[in-house]
Amino acid sequence: MAGPDPHSQEAPRQRDLTTGPIGPALLLFALPTLGSNVLQSLNGSINAIWVGRFLGEGALAATSNANIIMFLLFGAVFGFGMAATILVGQAWGAREVDAAKRAFGSALGLVLAASILVGALGWVFAPEILRALATPEAAFTPALDYLRVIFLGLPPSMLLVLMFMGLRGTGDSVTPLWFMGLSVLIDSTLNPVLILGLGPMPRLGIAGSALATLIANLAACAGLAGWMAWRRMPLHLTGAERRYLLPDPALVRTILGKGLPIGAQMLVLSTSALAMVGLVNRHGIDTVAAYGIVQQLWGYVQMPAMAVGAAVSAMAAQNIGARRWDRVARVTVAGLFYNGAITAAMVVLVLWLDETILGLFVGEGSAALPIAQHINRVATWGFILFGGTMVLFGTVRANGAVWGPLGILFLSMFPVRLGMAVALEPWLGGDSLWWSFPLGSAANVAMAAAYYLHGGWRRGALLVPEETGERSHADVEPGAAVRPAG
């Protein structure tokens, strides 16, 4: 049976993205997601300010190395959540609430198990990972302390992200905003307390920053679970539905089959970032610290692209599930327009105020500041192109197409970006590292556009009608019983 109507009063904040004007709906959905991204990046920046101001450039370089590793590990389990989000969105568009709950429950079980395993392995092998990155000796010990505590917090942080993604799949981008705010408030408040040992707390140094993040994610995760239960939100699992946490084989195959390639896309990004860190580390600790500062700034510049891309993916998935292919192309065009306008405005702002913003992270007269300004001026404009890729990938992933984006990312990150960084060094010196970013983004968006226009992504399927088993979203009637494809 189809389950409760998504439009009913029992589904607060959930939105039907398959009807009405596309532009306003996309913008209203993207803005809370953008707000969540702002808060998340602001939290990282505040933490970096505490670390840089109180513990110095060596500790800041340590967090830069450790955060790249965490992004790598995040990618190992992120794909499961993205696959589940697509399933939730398509099921919601088809008005199959029970199918959405099954996908959500299966993803929760898989991500919890995977994050516990990855966290345990990361704790054990953290020293070897840092050595493989050629982490500077001055930053090695603080990076190890920071990284090991972060590994402990991997399960709640992964579950929190997955819960946010699931809610967005049902059209709710507001609830994740509030609980991201809660996490940021706790984290940013506890950081100086635990770093400096204020009041009765022990002085933990850089490990205190990581412990603050762990506590904040635990609190937000528990709070969101309680809120979903209290508000009787559609994805909350009650009674016998809790068995969905033990995934059935069909959902496992679908989530793994689509989630692993999506996770591999994250791993491609992460490993290319790790390789870049290895190249940057060879230019000395001031350049490493400068690169870490600029990465904080880039987090903000990427936020509109990530928010609009997530909104496009959720909106496209619902329309695919509802057989509204006529709206999918219009969603993509609207996403490209909003990304270009908002990201370009962000780029102009951070270039205009770069000295003021970058100066927040280091003390006056720091040798890292002019290096960071130079990196910012050379490379930041390329994120306008990056945003176009996120929108195009958001649409094709909404129909379960994952191998095309994976191949495109691999080519643009390794042969193009890293290849250029190395090949141009005899002529550009260290600037070859920074110019490789916009050049790689240009190659990425060109290949993504070609795949969107001429690739076979429209033929894929994640949900098919149970009665016929035909592999076409055009056959999924709203309210019909559906099951995972493949």
Side-chain angles (χ1 to χ4, degrees):
M1 296 181 62
D5 186 345
H7 303 283
S8 73
Q9 294 302 312
E10 295 183 3
R13 297 193 187 277
Q14 274 64 40
R15 301 181 61 197
D16 180 8
L17 301 175
T18 64
T19 59
I22 288 175
L26 181 65
L27 189 59
L28 289 174
F29 185 86
L31 286 177
T33 303
L34 178 59
S36 295
N37 292 345
V38 169
L39 289 174
Q40 188 173 30
S41 293
L42 182 63
N43 185 48
S45 298
I46 292 172
N47 292 351
I49 290 171
W50 291 129
V51 170
R53 291 283 185 174
F54 295 147
L55 303 176
E57 279 87 350
L60 191 62
T63 61
S64 176
N65 277 254
N67 286 334
I68 290 292
I69 295 166
M70 288 312 301
F71 186 69
L72 171 66
L73 296 172
F74 176 81
V77 294
F78 175 80
F80 300 154
M82 180 61 75
T85 300
I86 296 167
L87 280 168
V88 168
Q90 290 190 10
W92 194 259
R95 304 196 182 186
E96 271 289 333
V97 178
D98 190 65
K101 286 187 173 186
R102 287 176 181 272
F104 184 65
S106 296
L108 284 175
L110 285 172
V111 167
L112 179 60
S115 60
I116 290 174
L117 175 62
V118 172
L121 291 173
W123 174 279
V124 172
F125 294 106
E128 288 75 13
I129 296 170
L130 291 173
R131 290 191 187 98
L133 282 176
T135 301
E137 191 63 33
F140 188 89
T141 298
L144 181 60
D145 293 340
Y146 180 84
L147 185 59
R148 278 187 158 162
V149 178
I150 286 290
F151 275 125
L152 291 177
L154 190 63
S157 66
M158 293 297 100
L159 288 179
L160 186 63
V161 169
L162 177 62
M163 294 164 78
F164 287 170
M165 292 166 68
L167 288 170
R168 289 175 184 139
T170 64
D172 179 5
S173 59
V174 175
T175 300
L177 172 63
W178 294 120
F179 283 90
M180 177 58 73
L182 174 64
S183 177
V184 169
L185 178 63
I186 296 172
D187 197 357
S188 58
T189 301
L190 287 180
N191 248 270
V193 173
L194 296 177
I195 289 174
L196 298 176
L198 301 180
M201 303 304 296
R203 183 183 180 92
L204 299 177
I206 195 171
S209 179
L211 182 59
T213 300
L214 188 159
I215 294 170
N217 285 334
L218 277 172
C221 190
L224 179 54
W227 178 262
M228 291 174 67
W230 182 56
R231 293 297 303 271
R232 299 174 61 197
M233 300 179 84
L235 291 184
H236 173 61
L237 305 179
T238 61
E241 293 172 344
R242 294 191 178 97
R243 71 183 186 275
Y244 296 163
L245 293 171
L246 299 175
D248 65 46
L251 281 168
V252 169
R253 287 194 299 270
T254 301
I255 292 175
L256 288 178
K258 300 298 183 180
L260 288 175
I262 295 174
Q265 294 167 29
M266 298 292 291
L267 293 175
V268 166
L269 291 172
S270 302
T271 52
S272 67
L274 287 172
M276 184 63 69
V277 166
L279 295 175
V280 172
N281 282 343
R282 289 162 174 78
H283 289 262
I285 197 164
D286 288 331
T287 300
V288 174
Y291 185 56
I293 296 168
V294 174
Q295 284 182 306
Q296 292 289 333
L297 190 64
W298 287 350
Y300 291 97
V301 177
Q302 293 178 71
M303 287 187 301
M306 302 301 290
V308 173
V312 166
S313 188
M315 199 167 185
Q318 285 199 20
N319 281 280
I320 289 169
R323 300 174 55 203
R324 295 300 308 272
W325 281 96
D326 59 305
R327 291 171 59 88
V328 173
R330 291 156 57 200
V331 168
T332 306
V333 171
L336 290 171
F337 172 78
Y338 285 128
N339 163 73
I342 301 174
T343 304
M346 287 291 295
V347 169
V348 170
L349 182 65
V350 300
L351 290 176
W352 180 31
L353 301 175
D354 65 341
E355 184 174 1
T356 301
I357 298 171
L358 294 169
L360 294 172
F361 296 95
V362 290
E364 186 177 353
S366 171
L369 182 57
I371 300 173
Q373 289 180 273
H374 179 68
I375 297 170
N376 181 43
R377 292 166 185 168
V378 170
T380 302
W381 64 272
F383 286 100
I384 300 173
L385 304 176
F386 165 83
T389 301
M390 291 300 98
V391 170
L392 296 170
F393 280 0
T395 298
V396 302
R397 284 174 182 153
N399 200 37
V402 293
W403 292 105
L406 175 59
I408 290 169
L409 279 176
F410 181 84
L411 291 173
S412 62
M413 293 297 107
F414 287 97
V416 178
R417 175 176 291 177
L418 291 174
M420 288 180 174
V422 174
L424 296 177
E425 187 172 11
W427 294 275
L428 299 178
D431 277 358
S432 65
L433 299 176
W434 323 132
W435 275 107
S436 70
F437 283 92
L439 294 175
S441 295
N444 204 358
V445 73
M447 289 186 285
Y451 182 71
Y452 174 80
L453 293 172
H454 306 295
W457 62 273
R458 293 172 182 82
R459 296 192 296 271
L462 281 183
L463 293 178
V464 298
E466 196 168 56
E467 295 84 359
T468 66
E470 294 178 10
R471 299 180 60 84
S472 170
H473 290 299
D475 297 323
V476 179
E477 294 288 351
V482 293
R483 63 175 174 82

